[in-house]
Amino acid sequence: VAATPGKTAFIAQRAEAGDETRLSYAELDALSDRLAVGLMRLGIGEGDVVAFQLPNWWQVPVLHLACLKLGAVSNPLMVIFRERELTFMLGLAATKVFVVPARFRNVDHRAIAMNVKAELPAPLHVFVVDGEGAEAFSQLLPETLTAEERGRLAARRLSPDAVIQLLYTSGTTGEPKGVSHTSNTMLSNLVPFAERLHLGADDVIHMPSPMAHQLGFMYGLVLPVMLGASAVLQDIFVAETMARQITQEGATFTMGATPFLNDLADYCLSTGTRTPSLK
């Protein structure tokens, strides 16, 4: 933020809504401050779990950075999960806050979240992106912060070994396991990775993989912020859209599971589309 306040940090497009949000590093910092204070006013603090079941929207990096500023634990959850998985995962983590979209891909995520809330023994605050009234996500973004609240954020210094993320395994052979990550466990991978591929602040990272998977989270959120680079987030994968975003934004790096890369390569070969910025 100090070095490049006006530089674009994240470009997030919502395919169904047809809109785009661009956040500079200064805007990302200000929004995550506001969200951190909004969570603080709910009583969220060190070690509390904040879960979010969101597509690759701008709210994801803002939520994670707000959690870092509080010492809270980010728990990204895949949008394909329904009542059974969510009741188990939120219950196991004693989750305090749960953020969902109102709707995504014709699924009423608000209704699912309310069903889960009713099943959990501990209180759960549910906030809804595109929601209304007291449950609207915007309620977590106060317009004004007190000097005391700003001071509490500025004074916090997280240990590199503090747990900052909870990520569930797939649960293919039993109940999913909640894996705890620290800054050190993530950066032990990302620092040498960036060095090996010569990635730096001038790179533009395109991320089609869900940020509720560790691939999307680490390489589409943690890596660009670590580098001071820019990231382009895709919420619904379509090869044509990915190729267009790469070209328009000058993306230099992407990372995804084989189907993403196969489909991108097939689309570019069949249409003669070039992606010259991609290294």
Side-chain angles (χ1 to χ4, degrees):
V1 176
T4 56
K7 181 178 180 177
T8 299
F10 287 96
I11 302 162
Q13 295 187 348
R14 300 203 330 180
E16 293 177 321
D19 62 24
E20 177 184 274
T21 300
R22 290 175 178 257
L23 295 177
S24 68
Y25 271 95
E27 290 168 331
L28 185 66
D29 187 45
L31 273 172
S32 54
D33 271 357
R34 289 169 59 194
L35 185 53
V37 168
L39 292 168
M40 188 192 301
R41 291 178 185 178
L42 287 177
I44 304 304
E46 197 159 327
D48 289 331
V49 175
V50 176
F52 37 94
Q53 188 184 29
L54 294 171
N56 286 5
W57 293 351
W58 65 264
Q59 287 88 352
V60 176
V62 173
L63 273 159
H64 178 57
L65 291 173
C67 287
L68 290 179
K69 290 176 177 184
L70 286 177
V73 179
S74 296
N75 175 212
L77 296 166
M78 287 293 292
V79 293
I80 60 172
F81 294 153
R82 300 294 181 257
E83 280 92 346
R84 179 181 177 276
E85 295 91 346
L86 293 172
T87 301
F88 171 77
M89 292 172 175
L90 298 178
L92 185 66
T95 304
K96 300 287 181 66
V97 174
F98 185 33
V99 180
V100 298
R103 297 188 68 86
F104 181 65
R105 306 196 83 167
N106 296 319
V107 174
D108 188 340
H109 285 277
R110 180 199 172 276
I112 293 171
M114 293 306 174
N115 290 341
V116 171
K117 179 179 179 178
E119 294 295 319
L120 293 174
L124 177 69
H125 298 281
V126 175
F127 291 93
V128 183
V129 176
D130 298 332
E132 298 176 352
E135 67 187 30
F137 178 77
S138 57
Q139 295 293 322
L140 282 175
L141 293 168
E143 292 292 339
T144 56
L145 314 183
T146 68
E148 190 266 342
E149 288 168 335
R150 290 185 183 278
R152 285 172 65 185
L153 289 185
R156 180 172 295 283
R157 289 292 179 269
L158 259 182
S159 161
D161 292 314
V163 174
I164 59 170
Q165 187 211 45
L166 172 68
L167 201 69
Y168 283 98
T169 62
S170 59
T172 47
T173 58
E175 296 290 10
K177 292 170 283 293
V179 181
S180 299
H181 277 283
T182 70
S183 298
N184 271 338
T185 60
M186 291 192 193
L187 299 183
S188 67
N189 176 295
L190 292 175
V191 170
F193 181 87
E195 289 174 355
R196 176 67 182 84
L197 293 186
H198 309 291
L199 297 171
D202 292 335
D203 282 291
V204 177
I205 296 168
H206 184 283
M207 185 46 63
S209 297
M211 288 195 291
H213 276 170
Q214 198 66 308
L215 188 160
F217 191 92
M218 282 181 54
Y219 299 91
L221 196 171
V222 184
L223 179 65
V225 173
M226 181 188 96
L227 297 172
S230 302
V232 184
L233 307 180
Q234 186 174 9
D235 68 340
I236 297 176
F237 175 73
V238 177
E240 179 182 1
T241 305
M242 183 176 177
R244 184 176 71 250
Q245 287 179 326
I246 289 170
T247 304
Q248 286 178 348
E249 306 299 340
T252 57
F253 171 79
T254 189
M255 192 168 182
T258 310
F260 292 113
L261 306 180
N262 266 347
D263 287 0
L264 176 67
D266 287 347
Y267 172 79
C268 290
L269 286 168
S270 64
T271 60
T273 302
R274 295 184 59 78
T275 55
S277 62
L278 203 60
K279 290 191 287 187

PDB file of all heavy atoms in Angstrom, residues 217-248:
ATOM      1  N   PHE A 217      -6.697 -20.157  -3.655  1.00  0.00           N
ATOM      2  CA  PHE A 217      -6.455 -19.266  -2.513  1.00  0.00           C
ATOM      3  C   PHE A 217      -5.004 -18.789  -2.477  1.00  0.00           C
ATOM      4  O   PHE A 217      -4.725 -17.601  -2.354  1.00  0.00           O
ATOM      5  CB  PHE A 217      -6.803 -19.995  -1.215  1.00  0.00           C
ATOM      6  CG  PHE A 217      -6.850 -19.110  -0.001  1.00  0.00           C
ATOM      7  CD1 PHE A 217      -8.036 -18.532   0.401  1.00  0.00           C
ATOM      8  CD2 PHE A 217      -5.707 -18.876   0.749  1.00  0.00           C
ATOM      9  CE1 PHE A 217      -8.092 -17.716   1.530  1.00  0.00           C
ATOM     10  CE2 PHE A 217      -5.741 -18.064   1.879  1.00  0.00           C
ATOM     11  CZ  PHE A 217      -6.947 -17.480   2.268  1.00  0.00           C
ATOM     12  N   MET A 218      -4.071 -19.743  -2.607  1.00  0.00           N
ATOM     13  CA  MET A 218      -2.664 -19.380  -2.465  1.00  0.00           C
ATOM     14  C   MET A 218      -2.135 -18.618  -3.671  1.00  0.00           C
ATOM     15  O   MET A 218      -1.426 -17.634  -3.535  1.00  0.00           O
ATOM     16  CB  MET A 218      -1.811 -20.625  -2.204  1.00  0.00           C
ATOM     17  CG  MET A 218      -1.917 -21.098  -0.763  1.00  0.00           C
ATOM     18  SD  MET A 218      -0.909 -22.545  -0.379  1.00  0.00           S
ATOM     19  CE  MET A 218       0.716 -22.049  -0.889  1.00  0.00           C
ATOM     20  N   TYR A 219      -2.499 -19.087  -4.880  1.00  0.00           N
ATOM     21  CA  TYR A 219      -1.891 -18.498  -6.076  1.00  0.00           C
ATOM     22  C   TYR A 219      -2.736 -17.371  -6.670  1.00  0.00           C
ATOM     23  O   TYR A 219      -2.238 -16.608  -7.494  1.00  0.00           O
ATOM     24  CB  TYR A 219      -1.628 -19.593  -7.111  1.00  0.00           C
ATOM     25  CG  TYR A 219      -0.685 -20.641  -6.595  1.00  0.00           C
ATOM     26  CD1 TYR A 219      -1.169 -21.780  -5.951  1.00  0.00           C
ATOM     27  CD2 TYR A 219       0.695 -20.476  -6.679  1.00  0.00           C
ATOM     28  CE1 TYR A 219      -0.304 -22.732  -5.424  1.00  0.00           C
ATOM     29  CE2 TYR A 219       1.566 -21.417  -6.152  1.00  0.00           C
ATOM     30  CZ  TYR A 219       1.056 -22.536  -5.530  1.00  0.00           C
ATOM     31  OH  TYR A 219       1.914 -23.467  -4.990  1.00  0.00           O
ATOM     32  N   GLY A 220      -3.997 -17.261  -6.239  1.00  0.00           N
ATOM     33  CA  GLY A 220      -4.845 -16.182  -6.735  1.00  0.00           C
ATOM     34  C   GLY A 220      -5.093 -15.086  -5.728  1.00  0.00           C
ATOM     35  O   GLY A 220      -5.603 -14.021  -6.073  1.00  0.00           O
ATOM     36  N   LEU A 221      -4.716 -15.330  -4.447  1.00  0.00           N
ATOM     37  CA  LEU A 221      -4.944 -14.329  -3.400  1.00  0.00           C
ATOM     38  C   LEU A 221      -3.646 -14.023  -2.654  1.00  0.00           C
ATOM     39  O   LEU A 221      -3.181 -12.887  -2.658  1.00  0.00           O
ATOM     40  CB  LEU A 221      -6.016 -14.844  -2.427  1.00  0.00           C
ATOM     41  CG  LEU A 221      -6.689 -13.858  -1.473  1.00  0.00           C
ATOM     42  CD1 LEU A 221      -7.864 -14.525  -0.759  1.00  0.00           C
ATOM     43  CD2 LEU A 221      -5.760 -13.243  -0.451  1.00  0.00           C
ATOM     44  N   VAL A 222      -3.057 -15.038  -2.025  1.00  0.00           N
ATOM     45  CA  VAL A 222      -1.870 -14.782  -1.200  1.00  0.00           C
ATOM     46  C   VAL A 222      -0.677 -14.364  -2.066  1.00  0.00           C
ATOM     47  O   VAL A 222       0.031 -13.406  -1.747  1.00  0.00           O
ATOM     48  CB  VAL A 222      -1.508 -16.021  -0.353  1.00  0.00           C
ATOM     49  CG1 VAL A 222      -0.338 -15.712   0.574  1.00  0.00           C
ATOM     50  CG2 VAL A 222      -2.711 -16.482   0.464  1.00  0.00           C
ATOM     51  N   LEU A 223      -0.460 -15.078  -3.178  1.00  0.00           N
ATOM     52  CA  LEU A 223       0.701 -14.792  -4.029  1.00  0.00           C
ATOM     53  C   LEU A 223       0.694 -13.363  -4.592  1.00  0.00           C
ATOM     54  O   LEU A 223       1.700 -12.649  -4.462  1.00  0.00           O
ATOM     55  CB  LEU A 223       0.789 -15.820  -5.161  1.00  0.00           C
ATOM     56  CG  LEU A 223       1.936 -15.632  -6.161  1.00  0.00           C
ATOM     57  CD1 LEU A 223       3.295 -15.812  -5.485  1.00  0.00           C
ATOM     58  CD2 LEU A 223       1.799 -16.608  -7.337  1.00  0.00           C
ATOM     59  N   PRO A 224      -0.392 -12.900  -5.236  1.00  0.00           N
ATOM     60  CA  PRO A 224      -0.341 -11.539  -5.778  1.00  0.00           C
ATOM     61  C   PRO A 224      -0.136 -10.466  -4.708  1.00  0.00           C
ATOM     62  O   PRO A 224       0.594  -9.488  -4.937  1.00  0.00           O
ATOM     63  CB  PRO A 224      -1.691 -11.372  -6.487  1.00  0.00           C
ATOM     64  CG  PRO A 224      -2.549 -12.489  -6.021  1.00  0.00           C
ATOM     65  CD  PRO A 224      -1.637 -13.587  -5.628  1.00  0.00           C
ATOM     66  N   VAL A 225      -0.755 -10.641  -3.530  1.00  0.00           N
ATOM     67  CA  VAL A 225      -0.556  -9.653  -2.467  1.00  0.00           C
ATOM     68  C   VAL A 225       0.882  -9.694  -1.961  1.00  0.00           C
ATOM     69  O   VAL A 225       1.506  -8.653  -1.710  1.00  0.00           O
ATOM     70  CB  VAL A 225      -1.567  -9.886  -1.323  1.00  0.00           C
ATOM     71  CG1 VAL A 225      -1.255  -8.983  -0.136  1.00  0.00           C
ATOM     72  CG2 VAL A 225      -2.981  -9.639  -1.806  1.00  0.00           C
ATOM     73  N   MET A 226       1.427 -10.912  -1.823  1.00  0.00           N
ATOM     74  CA  MET A 226       2.822 -11.067  -1.396  1.00  0.00           C
ATOM     75  C   MET A 226       3.774 -10.343  -2.348  1.00  0.00           C
ATOM     76  O   MET A 226       4.737  -9.707  -1.932  1.00  0.00           O
ATOM     77  CB  MET A 226       3.167 -12.558  -1.335  1.00  0.00           C
ATOM     78  CG  MET A 226       4.579 -12.891  -0.887  1.00  0.00           C
ATOM     79  SD  MET A 226       4.943 -14.671  -1.087  1.00  0.00           S
ATOM     80  CE  MET A 226       5.755 -14.672  -2.690  1.00  0.00           C
ATOM     81  N   LEU A 227       3.478 -10.424  -3.654  1.00  0.00           N
ATOM     82  CA  LEU A 227       4.351  -9.834  -4.675  1.00  0.00           C
ATOM     83  C   LEU A 227       4.077  -8.350  -4.915  1.00  0.00           C
ATOM     84  O   LEU A 227       4.892  -7.661  -5.518  1.00  0.00           O
ATOM     85  CB  LEU A 227       4.172 -10.578  -6.004  1.00  0.00           C
ATOM     86  CG  LEU A 227       4.561 -12.054  -6.052  1.00  0.00           C
ATOM     87  CD1 LEU A 227       4.142 -12.662  -7.387  1.00  0.00           C
ATOM     88  CD2 LEU A 227       6.060 -12.230  -5.832  1.00  0.00           C
ATOM     89  N   GLY A 228       2.898  -7.876  -4.473  1.00  0.00           N
ATOM     90  CA  GLY A 228       2.466  -6.539  -4.882  1.00  0.00           C
ATOM     91  C   GLY A 228       2.067  -6.521  -6.347  1.00  0.00           C
ATOM     92  O   GLY A 228       2.168  -5.500  -7.031  1.00  0.00           O
ATOM     93  N   ALA A 229       1.609  -7.673  -6.841  1.00  0.00           N
ATOM     94  CA  ALA A 229       1.203  -7.814  -8.247  1.00  0.00           C
ATOM     95  C   ALA A 229      -0.291  -7.544  -8.378  1.00  0.00           C
ATOM     96  O   ALA A 229      -0.953  -7.097  -7.437  1.00  0.00           O
ATOM     97  CB  ALA A 229       1.542  -9.227  -8.727  1.00  0.00           C
ATOM     98  N   SER A 230      -0.843  -7.800  -9.558  1.00  0.00           N
ATOM     99  CA  SER A 230      -2.275  -7.653  -9.808  1.00  0.00           C
ATOM    100  C   SER A 230      -2.860  -9.029 -10.103  1.00  0.00           C
ATOM    101  O   SER A 230      -2.185  -9.888 -10.673  1.00  0.00           O
ATOM    102  CB  SER A 230      -2.535  -6.725 -11.005  1.00  0.00           C
ATOM    103  OG  SER A 230      -1.958  -5.455 -10.788  1.00  0.00           O
ATOM    104  N   ALA A 231      -4.130  -9.233  -9.716  1.00  0.00           N
ATOM    105  CA  ALA A 231      -4.790 -10.510  -9.956  1.00  0.00           C
ATOM    106  C   ALA A 231      -6.123 -10.297 -10.652  1.00  0.00           C
ATOM    107  O   ALA A 231      -6.845  -9.343 -10.358  1.00  0.00           O
ATOM    108  CB  ALA A 231      -4.996 -11.264  -8.650  1.00  0.00           C
ATOM    109  N   VAL A 232      -6.437 -11.196 -11.587  1.00  0.00           N
ATOM    110  CA  VAL A 232      -7.712 -11.195 -12.301  1.00  0.00           C
ATOM    111  C   VAL A 232      -8.460 -12.448 -11.855  1.00  0.00           C
ATOM    112  O   VAL A 232      -7.966 -13.563 -12.019  1.00  0.00           O
ATOM    113  CB  VAL A 232      -7.505 -11.227 -13.829  1.00  0.00           C
ATOM    114  CG1 VAL A 232      -8.844 -11.128 -14.552  1.00  0.00           C
ATOM    115  CG2 VAL A 232      -6.568 -10.105 -14.265  1.00  0.00           C
ATOM    116  N   LEU A 233      -9.653 -12.270 -11.300  1.00  0.00           N
ATOM    117  CA  LEU A 233     -10.423 -13.389 -10.746  1.00  0.00           C
ATOM    118  C   LEU A 233     -11.586 -13.728 -11.674  1.00  0.00           C
ATOM    119  O   LEU A 233     -12.328 -12.838 -12.102  1.00  0.00           O
ATOM    120  CB  LEU A 233     -10.969 -13.023  -9.357  1.00  0.00           C
ATOM    121  CG  LEU A 233      -9.935 -12.519  -8.343  1.00  0.00           C
ATOM    122  CD1 LEU A 233     -10.617 -12.188  -7.023  1.00  0.00           C
ATOM    123  CD2 LEU A 233      -8.816 -13.532  -8.140  1.00  0.00           C
ATOM    124  N   GLN A 234     -11.758 -15.007 -11.968  1.00  0.00           N
ATOM    125  CA  GLN A 234     -12.850 -15.487 -12.818  1.00  0.00           C
ATOM    126  C   GLN A 234     -13.792 -16.330 -11.962  1.00  0.00           C
ATOM    127  O   GLN A 234     -13.368 -17.306 -11.342  1.00  0.00           O
ATOM    128  CB  GLN A 234     -12.293 -16.318 -13.981  1.00  0.00           C
ATOM    129  CG  GLN A 234     -13.343 -16.735 -14.998  1.00  0.00           C
ATOM    130  CD  GLN A 234     -12.750 -17.436 -16.214  1.00  0.00           C
ATOM    131  OE1 GLN A 234     -11.563 -17.768 -16.235  1.00  0.00           O
ATOM    132  NE2 GLN A 234     -13.559 -17.665 -17.221  1.00  0.00           N
ATOM    133  N   ASP A 235     -15.084 -15.966 -11.936  1.00  0.00           N
ATOM    134  CA  ASP A 235     -15.983 -16.670 -11.014  1.00  0.00           C
ATOM    135  C   ASP A 235     -16.663 -17.887 -11.630  1.00  0.00           C
ATOM    136  O   ASP A 235     -16.994 -18.835 -10.920  1.00  0.00           O
ATOM    137  CB  ASP A 235     -17.018 -15.712 -10.416  1.00  0.00           C
ATOM    138  CG  ASP A 235     -18.034 -15.187 -11.419  1.00  0.00           C
ATOM    139  OD1 ASP A 235     -17.760 -15.227 -12.636  1.00  0.00           O
ATOM    140  OD2 ASP A 235     -19.111 -14.722 -10.983  1.00  0.00           O
ATOM    141  N   ILE A 236     -16.896 -17.881 -12.944  1.00  0.00           N
ATOM    142  CA  ILE A 236     -17.445 -19.044 -13.644  1.00  0.00           C
ATOM    143  C   ILE A 236     -16.518 -19.332 -14.814  1.00  0.00           C
ATOM    144  O   ILE A 236     -16.334 -18.476 -15.687  1.00  0.00           O
ATOM    145  CB  ILE A 236     -18.880 -18.791 -14.145  1.00  0.00           C
ATOM    146  CG1 ILE A 236     -19.826 -18.551 -12.952  1.00  0.00           C
ATOM    147  CG2 ILE A 236     -19.375 -19.973 -14.978  1.00  0.00           C
ATOM    148  CD1 ILE A 236     -21.243 -18.202 -13.352  1.00  0.00           C
ATOM    149  N   PHE A 237     -15.946 -20.524 -14.848  1.00  0.00           N
ATOM    150  CA  PHE A 237     -14.953 -20.803 -15.879  1.00  0.00           C
ATOM    151  C   PHE A 237     -15.596 -21.009 -17.246  1.00  0.00           C
ATOM    152  O   PHE A 237     -16.434 -21.887 -17.425  1.00  0.00           O
ATOM    153  CB  PHE A 237     -14.115 -22.037 -15.540  1.00  0.00           C
ATOM    154  CG  PHE A 237     -13.174 -22.400 -16.652  1.00  0.00           C
ATOM    155  CD1 PHE A 237     -12.050 -21.633 -16.889  1.00  0.00           C
ATOM    156  CD2 PHE A 237     -13.432 -23.474 -17.494  1.00  0.00           C
ATOM    157  CE1 PHE A 237     -11.184 -21.933 -17.938  1.00  0.00           C
ATOM    158  CE2 PHE A 237     -12.577 -23.785 -18.543  1.00  0.00           C
ATOM    159  CZ  PHE A 237     -11.454 -23.011 -18.768  1.00  0.00           C
ATOM    160  N   VAL A 238     -15.190 -20.175 -18.190  1.00  0.00           N
ATOM    161  CA  VAL A 238     -15.483 -20.342 -19.606  1.00  0.00           C
ATOM    162  C   VAL A 238     -14.179 -20.033 -20.325  1.00  0.00           C
ATOM    163  O   VAL A 238     -13.573 -18.973 -20.095  1.00  0.00           O
ATOM    164  CB  VAL A 238     -16.609 -19.395 -20.081  1.00  0.00           C
ATOM    165  CG1 VAL A 238     -16.836 -19.535 -21.578  1.00  0.00           C
ATOM    166  CG2 VAL A 238     -17.907 -19.660 -19.311  1.00  0.00           C
ATOM    167  N   ALA A 239     -13.728 -20.939 -21.181  1.00  0.00           N
ATOM    168  CA  ALA A 239     -12.410 -20.777 -21.811  1.00  0.00           C
ATOM    169  C   ALA A 239     -12.326 -19.476 -22.608  1.00  0.00           C
ATOM    170  O   ALA A 239     -11.309 -18.774 -22.566  1.00  0.00           O
ATOM    171  CB  ALA A 239     -12.114 -21.975 -22.704  1.00  0.00           C
ATOM    172  N   GLU A 240     -13.392 -19.147 -23.336  1.00  0.00           N
ATOM    173  CA  GLU A 240     -13.382 -17.920 -24.129  1.00  0.00           C
ATOM    174  C   GLU A 240     -13.208 -16.688 -23.245  1.00  0.00           C
ATOM    175  O   GLU A 240     -12.448 -15.773 -23.562  1.00  0.00           O
ATOM    176  CB  GLU A 240     -14.688 -17.809 -24.920  1.00  0.00           C
ATOM    177  CG  GLU A 240     -14.780 -16.550 -25.772  1.00  0.00           C
ATOM    178  CD  GLU A 240     -16.101 -16.434 -26.516  1.00  0.00           C
ATOM    179  OE1 GLU A 240     -16.968 -17.325 -26.351  1.00  0.00           O
ATOM    180  OE2 GLU A 240     -16.270 -15.452 -27.273  1.00  0.00           O
ATOM    181  N   THR A 241     -13.904 -16.676 -22.103  1.00  0.00           N
ATOM    182  CA  THR A 241     -13.785 -15.551 -21.172  1.00  0.00           C
ATOM    183  C   THR A 241     -12.381 -15.467 -20.601  1.00  0.00           C
ATOM    184  O   THR A 241     -11.802 -14.384 -20.489  1.00  0.00           O
ATOM    185  CB  THR A 241     -14.803 -15.698 -20.029  1.00  0.00           C
ATOM    186  OG1 THR A 241     -16.107 -15.837 -20.575  1.00  0.00           O
ATOM    187  CG2 THR A 241     -14.774 -14.492 -19.102  1.00  0.00           C
ATOM    188  N   MET A 242     -11.827 -16.616 -20.252  1.00  0.00           N
ATOM    189  CA  MET A 242     -10.470 -16.629 -19.702  1.00  0.00           C
ATOM    190  C   MET A 242      -9.466 -16.080 -20.713  1.00  0.00           C
ATOM    191  O   MET A 242      -8.612 -15.256 -20.366  1.00  0.00           O
ATOM    192  CB  MET A 242     -10.082 -18.045 -19.294  1.00  0.00           C
ATOM    193  CG  MET A 242      -8.701 -18.139 -18.648  1.00  0.00           C
ATOM    194  SD  MET A 242      -8.353 -19.834 -18.076  1.00  0.00           S
ATOM    195  CE  MET A 242      -6.675 -19.607 -17.466  1.00  0.00           C
ATOM    196  N   ALA A 243      -9.580 -16.510 -21.965  1.00  0.00           N
ATOM    197  CA  ALA A 243      -8.671 -16.018 -23.004  1.00  0.00           C
ATOM    198  C   ALA A 243      -8.809 -14.507 -23.184  1.00  0.00           C
ATOM    199  O   ALA A 243      -7.808 -13.791 -23.337  1.00  0.00           O
ATOM    200  CB  ALA A 243      -8.949 -16.737 -24.323  1.00  0.00           C
ATOM    201  N   ARG A 244     -10.052 -14.028 -23.153  1.00  0.00           N
ATOM    202  CA  ARG A 244     -10.280 -12.584 -23.315  1.00  0.00           C
ATOM    203  C   ARG A 244      -9.688 -11.806 -22.138  1.00  0.00           C
ATOM    204  O   ARG A 244      -9.057 -10.763 -22.327  1.00  0.00           O
ATOM    205  CB  ARG A 244     -11.771 -12.301 -23.445  1.00  0.00           C
ATOM    206  CG  ARG A 244     -12.071 -10.818 -23.717  1.00  0.00           C
ATOM    207  CD  ARG A 244     -13.540 -10.565 -23.946  1.00  0.00           C
ATOM    208  NE  ARG A 244     -14.326 -10.713 -22.711  1.00  0.00           N
ATOM    209  CZ  ARG A 244     -15.168 -11.698 -22.488  1.00  0.00           C
ATOM    210  NH1 ARG A 244     -15.369 -12.633 -23.393  1.00  0.00           N
ATOM    211  NH2 ARG A 244     -15.835 -11.766 -21.343  1.00  0.00           N
ATOM    212  N   GLN A 245      -9.888 -12.310 -20.921  1.00  0.00           N
ATOM    213  CA  GLN A 245      -9.344 -11.626 -19.741  1.00  0.00           C
ATOM    214  C   GLN A 245      -7.818 -11.595 -19.776  1.00  0.00           C
ATOM    215  O   GLN A 245      -7.193 -10.577 -19.449  1.00  0.00           O
ATOM    216  CB  GLN A 245      -9.826 -12.322 -18.463  1.00  0.00           C
ATOM    217  CG  GLN A 245     -11.286 -12.084 -18.141  1.00  0.00           C
ATOM    218  CD  GLN A 245     -11.716 -12.823 -16.884  1.00  0.00           C
ATOM    219  OE1 GLN A 245     -11.240 -13.919 -16.592  1.00  0.00           O
ATOM    220  NE2 GLN A 245     -12.617 -12.230 -16.127  1.00  0.00           N
ATOM    221  N   ILE A 246      -7.215 -12.710 -20.169  1.00  0.00           N
ATOM    222  CA  ILE A 246      -5.753 -12.761 -20.263  1.00  0.00           C
ATOM    223  C   ILE A 246      -5.247 -11.695 -21.226  1.00  0.00           C
ATOM    224  O   ILE A 246      -4.291 -10.967 -20.942  1.00  0.00           O
ATOM    225  CB  ILE A 246      -5.287 -14.166 -20.704  1.00  0.00           C
ATOM    226  CG1 ILE A 246      -5.499 -15.176 -19.572  1.00  0.00           C
ATOM    227  CG2 ILE A 246      -3.817 -14.151 -21.131  1.00  0.00           C
ATOM    228  CD1 ILE A 246      -5.298 -16.621 -19.994  1.00  0.00           C
ATOM    229  N   THR A 247      -5.918 -11.590 -22.373  1.00  0.00           N
ATOM    230  CA  THR A 247      -5.496 -10.627 -23.393  1.00  0.00           C
ATOM    231  C   THR A 247      -5.753  -9.191 -22.954  1.00  0.00           C
ATOM    232  O   THR A 247      -4.874  -8.320 -23.072  1.00  0.00           O
ATOM    233  CB  THR A 247      -6.237 -10.917 -24.713  1.00  0.00           C
ATOM    234  OG1 THR A 247      -5.989 -12.270 -25.092  1.00  0.00           O
ATOM    235  CG2 THR A 247      -5.747 -10.001 -25.826  1.00  0.00           C
ATOM    236  N   GLN A 248      -6.958  -8.925 -22.446  1.00  0.00           N
ATOM    237  CA  GLN A 248      -7.322  -7.563 -22.051  1.00  0.00           C
ATOM    238  C   GLN A 248      -6.457  -7.037 -20.908  1.00  0.00           C
ATOM    239  O   GLN A 248      -6.061  -5.870 -20.910  1.00  0.00           O
ATOM    240  CB  GLN A 248      -8.793  -7.509 -21.635  1.00  0.00           C
ATOM    241  CG  GLN A 248      -9.775  -7.588 -22.791  1.00  0.00           C
ATOM    242  CD  GLN A 248     -11.221  -7.572 -22.312  1.00  0.00           C
ATOM    243  OE1 GLN A 248     -11.506  -7.723 -21.125  1.00  0.00           O
ATOM    244  NE2 GLN A 248     -12.139  -7.384 -23.232  1.00  0.00           N
TER     245      GLN A 248
END
